[in-house]
Amino acid sequence: TPQLPKHISTYCSGDEMSCWKDFVAQESQFTPVGGEACQYNPPRTDCPNTLLEMDMFHWSFINNGYRAEVLNGWTSGGCMNTIRRNLGYRLTLKEAFIPPSLKPGGALSINLRLSNDGFAAMFNPRPLFVVLQGPGGRYEIPVSNR
């Protein structure tokens, strides 16, 4: 307001919007980020920009009950299903190399390739288990990254 002195950022200078976006993109790799839709403001609230920013800022959650005009625009624009599918982190098994047979008492060596197809970075550790199940029982074996 005219009554207050102008505040100058000591973190960002020049193009402050880009600077702060870069900062949030980096910080959101280590903490949950989410919120709600802003005021309806095409093209900023259109699907292409929304998907770009949710990915860049690693969104984990969204208020699905605020700003119906924006949420409805995402539905009619064809990106609401993508948003719902990609909020948070989504681990996908891309490849698994499993030996076709194993001698009793032998070491089981499995190579897995996973990818995170969600918007969010993994900010909490998630243990991984291989589950072996058969007539002899069920075994849950923790996987190590060796």
Side-chain angles (χ1 to χ4, degrees), residues 12 65-66 83 132 136:
C12 293
Y66 186 71
I83 291 169
L132 302 175

Side-chain angles (χ1 to χ4, degrees), residues 3-139:
Q3 295 83 18
L4 297 175
K6 183 176 180 181
H7 293 280
I8 305 295
S9 170
T10 57
Y11 180 80
C12 293
S13 61
D15 182 1
E16 286 199 34
M17 182 66 74
S18 292
C19 177
W20 285 114
K21 282 185 174 185
D22 290 345
F23 175 80
V24 173
Q26 291 173 27
E27 285 297 303
S28 61
Q29 294 178 71
F30 309 105
T31 185
V33 171
E36 51 197 24
C38 60
Q39 181 176 342
Y40 182 70
N41 182 22
R44 184 158 195 295
T45 54
D46 289 345
C47 282
N49 188 63
T50 297
L51 293 173
L52 177 73
E53 288 196 359
M54 285 186 171
D55 187 46
M56 180 172 40
F57 300 135
H58 306 100
W59 273 56
S60 296
F61 59 92
I62 190 164
N63 178 352
N64 200 34
Y66 186 71
R67 286 299 200 193
E69 65 272 28
V70 176
L71 300 173
N72 291 339
W74 295 343
T75 301
S76 65
C79 65
M80 183 58 90
N81 286 338
T82 301
I83 291 169
R84 288 181 176 148
R85 189 174 50 251
N86 290 330
L87 283 173
Y89 38 87
R90 301 287 183 255
L91 295 181
T92 304
L93 176 64
K94 296 296 186 180
E95 287 182 306
F97 300 99
I98 304 168
S101 63
L102 184 64
K103 294 179 184 175
L108 176 61
S109 178
I110 300 175
N111 290 315
L112 304 173
R113 189 170 63 87
L114 304 172
S115 79
N116 178 6
D117 296 330
F119 294 139
M122 293 184 63
F123 46 83
N124 285 330
R126 296 288 181 217
L128 181 64
F129 294 85
V130 170
V131 178
L132 302 175
Q133 186 169 331
R138 176 184 167 100
Y139 303 92

